[in-house]
Amino acid sequence: MRLRHKPWAKEKIEAYPQYIVPNPEDYRGNWKEVFHNDNPIYIEVGTGKGQFVTEMAKAHPDVNFIGVELYESVIVTALDRLIEAELPNVKLLNADARNLAQYFAKGDVSRVYLNFSDPWPKKRHDKRRLTYRTFLKLYEDIMPDGGEIHFKTDNQGLFEYSLQSFSAYGMLLTFLSLDLHKSDFEGNIMTEYEEKFSQKGQRIYRVEAKYR
């Protein structure tokens, strides 16, 4: 993904700590201080422009959502969505997913969403895929027993790789769709990429995987 540099992004991020949490490591094991409740926390790794996490927060007010996005120039668009929506149950982290264990303790997060992640198609880059085994271990370390990963992609190769990765890790596949928009799945919230791809007639693949 080619990113447009926004030199003002960092300053804007710092101006809205009520939406983009500064120093998230300070709340490791105690995120109720941020949300002021004990509702379950679902995170989206690679939240992009924030459409999914914002709409999910609207649809599920009894769940706390956190969108994790590395790039400042992208997360500011998600920030604009939150400023407009004024939702109490969604926050953002401008952070690298590889550092999740620094921000969340075991059991802090009940579910992880991975939506249209970079497929990193070259074999030598497989360790960068968000469904690679080291990432699966990372998610497991911040979720309780039985935590879930919900994964969507338009990339068949990444989908097949992820199914194999989940199975090799010993996870249980509890839902699988090879063409989500032609299935009977209810309550689907689309990302910006999903809207674009589905309008072109591309298949959307989805799987839910549970830690045993």
Side-chain angles (χ1 to χ4, degrees), residues 155-202:
N155 188 291
Q156 182 178 350
L158 179 62
F159 188 71
E160 292 173 352
Y161 169 87
S162 300
L163 294 181
Q164 294 173 357
S165 185
F166 293 146
S167 296
Y169 199 83
M171 301 180 73
L172 178 66
L173 304 183
T174 58
F175 175 89
L176 191 151
S177 176
L178 301 180
D179 196 345
L180 179 62
H181 292 184
K182 291 184 179 180
S183 73
D184 57 1
F185 181 80
E186 297 181 356
N188 182 52
I189 301 291
M190 289 198 288
T191 74
E192 296 91 347
Y193 281 118
E194 186 173 355
E195 288 183 345
K196 180 174 69 174
F197 295 146
S198 62
Q199 287 170 2
K200 293 179 180 179
Q202 294 178 230

Side-chain angles (χ1 to χ4, degrees), residues 1-3 44-48 68-71 74 96-97 113-132 135 139 151-162 166 191 193 197:
M1 180 174 64
R2 188 173 182 179
L3 300 177
E44 182 188 17
V45 178
T47 204
V68 182
E69 175 57 49
L70 175 62
Y71 299 106
V74 176
D96 191 325
Y113 289 98
L114 303 174
N115 294 317
F116 301 89
S117 308
D118 191 326
W120 293 104
K122 294 181 180 179
K123 174 62 177 175
R124 69 177 184 272
H125 292 154
D126 62 346
K127 292 181 180 179
R128 300 185 184 184
R129 297 170 192 159
L130 293 181
T131 52
Y132 185 71
F135 279 105
Y139 310 142
F151 175 74
K152 285 195 291 187
T153 184
D154 67 305
N155 188 291
Q156 182 178 350
L158 179 62
F159 188 71
E160 292 173 352
Y161 169 87
S162 300
F166 293 146
T191 74
Y193 281 118
F197 295 146

Side-chain angles (χ1 to χ4, degrees), residues 78-110:
L79 173 58
D80 286 338
R81 290 184 185 275
L82 295 196
I83 293 171
E84 180 179 355
E86 296 184 331
L87 295 167
N89 63 322
V90 58
K91 304 294 181 184
L92 299 172
L93 299 186
N94 183 205
D96 191 325
R98 291 174 294 185
N99 299 327
L100 286 176
Q102 297 178 24
Y103 313 134
F104 301 103
K106 179 69 175 177
D108 275 351
V109 174
S110 297

Side-chain angles (χ1 to χ4, degrees), residues 4-13 72-73 76-77 80:
R4 178 185 170 195
H5 179 58
K6 299 176 181 177
W8 46 266
K10 183 177 180 64
E11 184 176 350
K12 183 168 183 176
I13 289 168
E72 294 177 348
S73 58
V76 288
T77 301
D80 286 338

